[in-house]
Structures are given as C-alpha cells and as structure tokens.
Amino acid sequence: MNWEEVYTHAKQWVKEAGETIRLSFDKTLNIQTKTNRNDLVTNMDKEIEQFFIKKIREVYPGHHILGEEGFGDEFKTLEGVVWLIDPIDGTMNFIHQQRNFAISLGVYENGIGKVGLIYDVVHDELYHAKRGDGAFLNDKPIPPLKEAKVEDSIIALNATWVMENHRIDHHLMIPLVRAARGTRSYGTAALEMVFVATGRVDAYLSMRLSPWDVAAGAIIVEELGGVVTNLRGEKLDFLSKDSLFTAKPGLHQIILKDYLKNGKW
Ligand code: IPD
Ligand code: CA
Ligand code: CA
C-alpha cells in the first residue's frame, strides 16, 4: 500500500468536504433524531459520509469503510485496510453553534493506525498524521508531548457521566476533578483528542465512544507520544464501543493508578 498516496488523497477529500460544510452554513439544515431526541443527525452528516465513500470506492475499491451514518460496510474484523469515518463529530455543536465540530477520518491496516486526519472546518485547521512521520497542524509539525502533573492539568471530560442510565463509578471522578487545575467539556471527541495532541488540554476522558470517534485521534496522539486506552488502561480495539482515556505520557499512568483503577468502567 502506498501510504503517502492514501495520505494525500485523504487530505484533499477532507478539505473538499470541509468546504461543502462551510457552504452549508447559509442553507437550511434538515435535522433528524436517531436513538433519542438528543441523538441528532443532519443531511450534512449523511452527505459528507456519502462523499467520502464515493471517493474511497472509486480509488480504493478493495478497502473497507466504517462510517457513523451507516453508508459504509458491515464487518466484524479490522483485517485489510479500513477507513473509519465520522463525517461530523460534534453534530449537536454543528447544529446549535456552527462551531466546535470536526471531520474525523482514520485509516487502519490490520488494526494498526496508519493515517489520521481531524479537520476543524470552521478554523480551517487540519490536524494530520501518518504513522512514523510525526503529526502536523496544517503545515506545522506539532511538538512531542511532555509529561505533566495532575495538579497542573486541564482535563477534558463530559458531565453526561452523571446520568442515571450510565451505570459507572462516576463518583470516582470527584477526587480527580478536585486535584486537577481545571476541567473542560467541548462536546466533540475528535477535537478533544487533538487538544490533547497539541497540549491545550492534558487529558481527555469519556465513558462511551464509537470507533469512528477515536480512530483518527488515536493515531495523532500516539504519534506525539501521548497514551490512548480505555478507562481500564487497556488498548482500544476500534471495533466496539468503549470508554476512552487519553493523556500525556506519565500523566496517563498516574491518573490510572491513583484515580481510575478501582472503577468499573
Ligand atoms: C459525539 C461527540 C461527543 C461525544 C459523543 C459522540 P457525534 O459524536 O464526539 O463529544 O460525547 O459520545 O457521540 O455524535 O457528534 O458524532
Ligand atoms: Ca462522533
Ligand atoms: Ca458524527
């Protein structure tokens, strides 16, 4: 596989998709709900996913595609080359705020992350990485991550953790929130992961995410020396929903050991 070529194509397609989204801001969105009234999808989520699928199928007919909106393939392994696509991560923000959302695209080969792109459409900021070649924000290399202490950290997390239907040990988060310098909640896993990659936050924790939410971000964060696991400290399989815990090196180990290890996540 010519990964340089895949990388080039992916960057072109993501930019093109971003332009389509920017142009949609003046048009009326068609908003629908999925599993519940807060699980939103728009015509743009669908259109953008279909755009990527068309492009990928034209150039790489042998590749598999897993997309959030279901226009891709159904499969149970990550064998071969798989594109994991979230056409709009942060759909609720996209609808309510027209900002704080991103396109997320990760390409894996036999379960190993090769190319990851997260495009902050509104700021025209493309975060991208090809395995082994470092990570970039537009044309600028992103510096490797340095270790941090909990008391100096900003931690991104989401208050939906306290909802009753989430049967988890969210009370264990209280000491961590108290110990940290501050917390943030942006409502877009993809951007929260690149905020870890760029050091804007020091860690990001989420209770339940899907493979397309984390596929690209994991490649970018790991390329900079950050650590990506679930809340139990295990590697992600990129096939099932799971919790997520990503942080700077060292900090990840400390939070896992001192705050998360007794939780049922
Ligand atoms: C959502 C966002 C959000 C996270 C949700 C995701 P979507 O993705 O990443 O931050 O908390 O769990 O589903 O639905 O906007 O693509
Ligand atoms: Ca998402
Ligand atoms: Ca989405």
Side-chain angles (χ1 to χ4, degrees), residues 5-261:
E5 186 202 87
V6 171
Y7 196 26
T8 305
H9 274 130
K11 282 189 272 192
Q12 274 166 4
W13 296 339
V14 163
K15 287 282 199 150
E16 215 178 300
E19 182 60 15
T20 307
I21 294 176
R22 279 190 293 268
L23 292 171
S24 80
F25 285 156
D26 295 330
K27 300 182 191 149
T28 308
L29 274 182
N30 177 346
I31 303 164
Q32 291 171 334
T33 56
K34 296 196 276 189
T35 54
N36 62 66
R37 75 179 298 280
N38 299 324
D39 186 5
L40 307 171
V41 63
T42 73
N43 55 308
M44 286 313 294
D45 298 70
K46 295 177 188 174
E47 191 182 312
I48 297 299
E49 180 164 315
Q50 284 167 319
F51 164 82
F52 283 122
I53 290 173
K54 187 168 174 287
K55 293 284 187 192
I56 297 162
R57 291 221 201 289
E58 267 166 23
V59 184
Y60 302 111
H63 291 186
H64 303 287
I65 305 167
L66 182 63
E68 172 167 23
E69 307 311 336
F71 297 107
D73 306 310
E74 271 191 32
F75 52 88
K76 295 199 164 49
T77 78
L78 282 187
E79 267 171 46
V81 179
V82 182
W83 295 64
L84 294 111
I85 305 171
D86 194 341
I88 298 181
D89 180 67
T91 296
M92 198 187 287
N93 292 344
F94 172 62
I95 295 167
H96 285 253
Q97 309 175 334
Q98 294 194 334
R99 67 193 68 209
N100 299 322
F101 67 89
I103 299 171
S104 176
L105 209 153
V107 194
Y108 282 65
E109 185 179 44
N110 299 324
I112 296 173
K114 295 289 185 176
V115 166
L117 291 94
I118 292 176
Y119 187 32
D120 180 340
V121 170
V122 171
H123 294 106
D124 188 24
E125 287 177 338
L126 178 61
Y127 301 85
H128 53 101
K130 179 161 139 303
R131 191 181 181 79
D133 285 356
F136 297 80
L137 166 45
N138 291 334
D139 296 329
K140 246 178 113 182
I142 305 172
L145 290 168
K146 297 203 181 92
E147 302 205 354
K149 294 184 183 146
V150 176
E151 57 270 31
D152 297 330
S153 294
I154 299 181
I155 299 179
L157 40 80
N158 195 326
T160 56
W161 282 29
V162 300
M163 283 154 82
E164 300 162 40
N165 58 344
H166 293 160
R167 200 180 38 78
I168 56 147
D169 287 336
H170 60 255
H171 62 277
L172 290 178
M173 296 306 299
I174 296 170
L176 177 61
V177 170
R178 286 195 178 134
R181 175 164 284 165
T183 58
R184 298 290 183 271
S185 186
Y186 297 96
T188 152
L191 287 183
E192 283 165 304
M193 290 188 86
V194 293
F195 292 169
V196 172
T198 51
R200 293 175 197 157
V201 303
D202 300 279
Y204 169 53
L205 297 85
S206 178
M207 202 203 63
R208 200 164 150 83
L209 291 170
S210 298
W212 47 77
D213 295 315
V214 294
I219 298 168
I220 297 170
V221 170
E222 285 183 349
E223 201 54 35
L224 296 163
V227 186
V228 182
T229 65
N230 60 24
L231 287 168
R232 298 183 299 283
E234 302 156 350
K235 276 173 76 109
L236 304 178
D237 68 10
F238 300 103
L239 271 174
S240 35
K241 287 190 185 224
D242 203 346
S243 57
L244 173 74
F245 172 37
T246 177
K248 286 181 169 164
L251 182 66
H252 186 279
Q253 215 181 344
I254 291 166
I255 293 179
L256 206 57
K257 179 166 90 50
D258 293 352
Y259 298 90
L260 302 177
K261 74 164 187 285

